[in-house]
Amino acid sequence: MNAQRLTTPKENVQEFQEKLGHAAKENKKRRFHALYDKVYRLDILWEAWRRVRANKGSAGIDGETLADIEEQGEIDFIMNCHRRLKEGKYHPQPVKRQYIPKKDGKQRPLGIPTVRDRVIQMATKLVIEPIFEADFQETSFGFRPKRSAKQALERIRKACNRKGNWVVDVDIQGYFDNINQEKLMKLVEMRISDRRILKLVRKWLGAGVMEEGKVRRSDLGTPQGGVISPLLANIYLNYFDLLWERHGSKVGELTRYADDFVVICKTKKDAERAYELIRAIMERLELILHPTKTRIVGLWTGEEGFDFLGMHHRKTKAETSKGQVYHTTQQWLCRKAEERIREVVKKQLAPPKMRHKSIQEHVDYLNPKIQGWRNYYFTACSQRKMAKLDWYILIRLARWYAKKRQRAGWMSSLREVKSLSIQYGLKTLL
């Protein structure tokens, strides 16, 4: 007799999501009501915990880390979440505010929810995401299952090559901080009528931010850093996608990745009309376009290009095998991406405290990063820039090596470092 194979929480969740997604696709007007009890289902909580743990991340305002939970017992933690949700005793804590310095001297605010809040947000996301996924448009690529930045880049390349000579490059000013929570909740309620789920989402929106010992609450924005935030942000901008589909699709082709998007148009007149339409829809959503970062770019002469998702896009001349000249859209890593790569390498190899490390440790750190950069940024047109970055990595290693060996200059170490990098299996971008 065959023993029945036990399914894992991951498989259970996938099956549940497929059913839910199918039901949402079948009836676009259906509002879902019995969802809250699914959030505290043990298999869903286990899968949520698995994903939060895989994402790593630091502690929230309660100081509890992922390691603390593993030490105290994962079963106790999951059962505690289950019990709190079931008995209606779960209350999220304010988000811990942290600032990351930006290149221009400004600081990017980040919010870190507690691990418990991240797990319960993840469980809720697992339950409600398939419903909204059924409504999201083909134009949207950011923070969605089975969709990627690479697919968005390919869509843009093709749109530019289909006589797309003008681009409206859009930047929304402080998007995550300016989402109108009441309008967002109305959009969530169009699909979900379970009052306890709606109450949960409202609690997260109103949990506030803890900064310098004080809690600040706002009726604008979504908690940046929260697991649920990207989904809520997509729900809000899906309204834009739908209106664009209805009123703007003849003017230009939209590609959106979270709050960044471009519209590719054939003529300057179309681009200007697209810009006005975008501004009008954004007004409805109570969002403001960044005055200097939002711009119309002419691609047809090849003198101008635009940056999107870490890549620079520009039209260049090419020749067919018969010598006919035509224009095609090329993509290569943008200057900002180049600088970021150099920064990561420098941070690893330049500080004096890194001199005690072995070459093997540095190679182990750099290899996954190099592989990731290569996978994302490599195109036929990126090769020259990639070669320069490979050279930069080698020079940085030589400088580190010379300092470690207490040698005066790094040039004399270059040949030795070259052969060591081959010996230790350092990957290259090219």
Side-chain angles (χ1 to χ4, degrees):
M1 214 172 98
N2 282 343
Q4 199 175 0
R5 190 177 76 85
L6 287 170
T7 54
T8 64
K10 186 181 176 181
E11 288 167 327
N12 285 349
V13 169
Q14 276 174 341
E15 193 185 325
F16 165 72
Q17 287 183 316
E18 276 164 23
K19 280 182 188 168
L20 211 52
H22 185 67
K25 270 198 185 94
E26 272 198 333
N27 183 354
K28 293 281 188 180
K29 292 208 163 62
R30 178 173 169 185
R31 292 173 77 218
F32 291 78
H33 63 278
L35 296 172
Y36 186 79
D37 60 328
K38 313 294 187 292
V39 174
Y40 61 75
R41 237 171 64 173
L42 288 172
D43 53 352
I44 284 174
L45 284 171
W46 273 111
E47 176 59 11
W49 162 246
R50 187 187 71 79
R51 292 189 188 199
V52 168
R53 194 180 49 194
N55 289 340
K56 299 192 168 76
S58 51
I61 63 166
D62 61 356
E64 189 172 45
T65 63
L66 294 161
D68 291 338
I69 290 164
E70 285 171 348
E71 208 176 297
Q72 288 152 21
E74 296 171 30
I75 294 171
D76 284 351
F77 172 76
I78 295 293
M79 291 311 292
N80 188 285
C81 292
H82 169 78
R83 202 162 44 247
R84 284 190 193 196
L85 284 164
K86 193 174 180 179
E87 293 168 8
K89 289 176 182 171
Y90 164 71
H91 300 287
Q93 290 181 272
V95 163
K96 179 175 153 190
R97 173 64 87 221
Q98 262 194 353
Y99 289 96
I100 296 171
K102 284 162 76 174
K103 264 269 187 284
D104 55 11
K106 291 178 183 170
Q107 295 201 307
R108 175 178 282 122
L110 258 194
I112 305 169
T114 65
V115 177
R116 184 185 308 282
D117 289 337
R118 297 210 291 272
V119 169
I120 292 173
Q121 281 188 24
M122 181 66 84
T124 308
K125 180 177 175 262
L126 291 172
V127 171
I128 69 172
E129 187 173 56
I131 297 165
F132 292 101
E133 265 297 315
D135 298 339
F136 290 161
Q137 301 297 294
E138 280 299 303
T139 50
S140 158
F141 292 86
F143 307 112
R144 291 184 59 192
K146 296 176 186 162
R147 301 203 127 219
S148 69
K150 293 281 268 192
Q151 290 170 323
L153 291 168
E154 185 56 16
R155 178 182 165 92
I156 289 165
R157 192 185 65 80
K158 285 178 176 172
C160 289
N161 282 343
R162 284 195 296 271
K163 295 183 180 169
N165 288 321
W166 291 88
V167 178
V168 187
D169 182 9
V170 181
D171 187 281
I172 303 169
Q173 206 162 335
Y175 173 60
F176 285 89
D177 294 330
N178 290 300
I179 291 172
N180 181 308
Q181 292 179 3
E182 281 311 307
K183 287 186 174 176
L184 171 62
M185 286 311 299
K186 281 198 168 71
L187 292 168
V188 174
E189 284 164 21
M190 286 174 82
R191 273 305 211 166
I192 290 169
S193 58
D194 186 325
R195 285 171 66 182
R196 290 186 297 173
I197 291 275
L198 297 171
K199 196 175 167 187
L200 255 189
V201 176
R202 278 189 189 277
K203 276 180 178 177
W204 286 319
L205 290 174
V209 173
M210 168 90 69
E211 200 169 357
E212 292 172 359
K214 287 180 186 160
V215 177
R216 189 172 47 79
R217 289 186 167 84
S218 169
D219 52 4
L220 278 181
T222 67
Q224 247 178 303
V227 175
I228 200 95
S229 289
L231 175 61
L232 296 177
N234 268 334
I235 291 168
Y236 200 64
L237 277 181
N238 187 52
Y239 178 82
F240 170 79
D241 298 345
L242 287 165
L243 284 183
W244 185 265
E245 188 56 40
R246 210 172 294 159
H247 305 289
S249 53
K250 287 189 175 72
V251 188
E253 189 172 309
L254 168 71
T255 302
R256 182 172 70 79
Y257 192 94
D259 60 324
D260 287 329
F261 60 92
V262 291
V263 175
I264 316 288
C265 308
K266 289 188 178 171
T267 65
K268 189 177 183 181
K269 196 177 169 188
D270 281 347
E272 284 164 351
R273 280 173 64 200
Y275 181 85
E276 287 310 315
L277 183 57
I278 291 162
R279 209 172 56 187
I281 302 171
M282 287 299 154
E283 259 177 43
R284 261 199 213 187
L285 288 166
E286 294 183 35
L287 295 168
I288 298 164
L289 298 180
H290 197 292
T292 54
K293 291 182 183 172
T294 302
R295 62 199 188 108
I296 292 174
V297 182
L299 296 179
W300 61 287
T301 60
E303 288 163 27
E304 259 193 305
F306 66 98
D307 293 346
F308 188 70
L309 297 178
M311 298 296 261
H312 184 73
H313 308 249
R314 193 181 284 247
K315 290 228 169 161
T316 55
K317 282 180 182 174
E319 267 187 39
T320 65
S321 54
K322 291 175 181 171
Q324 287 174 307
V325 174
Y326 67 99
H327 282 83
T328 185
T329 309
Q330 307 281 20
Q331 295 170 329
W332 58 82
L333 79 166
C334 68
R335 189 179 294 154
K336 246 186 185 173
E338 254 184 283
E339 284 170 6
R340 214 166 26 242
I341 290 172
R342 286 172 192 266
E343 216 173 275
V344 170
V345 175
K346 187 178 176 181
K347 203 174 167 187
Q348 176 66 14
L349 296 170
K353 64 177 183 185
M354 290 302 197
R355 280 174 210 160
H356 74 278
K357 287 192 181 258
S358 66
I359 193 161
Q360 185 67 67
E361 284 174 292
H362 286 309
V363 168
D364 290 346
Y365 173 84
L366 290 170
N367 271 354
K369 302 246 182 249
I370 292 168
Q371 188 62 55
W373 294 327
R374 186 187 158 85
N375 291 348
Y376 187 79
Y377 293 113
F378 185 84
T379 66
C381 305
S382 280
Q383 290 185 24
R384 204 164 50 86
K385 287 177 182 288
M386 295 292 211
K388 273 166 78 177
L389 286 167
D390 275 335
W391 179 239
Y392 176 79
I393 293 168
L394 209 58
I395 288 172
R396 273 281 158 211
L397 262 173
R399 283 182 167 183
W400 162 81
Y401 192 72
K403 294 242 172 77
K404 189 181 173 75
R405 291 274 180 272
Q406 295 179 332
R407 292 177 186 166
W410 57 269
M411 294 287 282
S412 57
S413 302
L414 199 56
R415 184 176 287 180
E416 199 179 335
V417 165
K418 240 184 193 174
S419 84
L420 281 171
S421 66
I422 294 165
Q423 188 187 322
Y424 284 93
L426 180 72
K427 293 188 173 185
T428 57
L429 289 160
L430 201 57

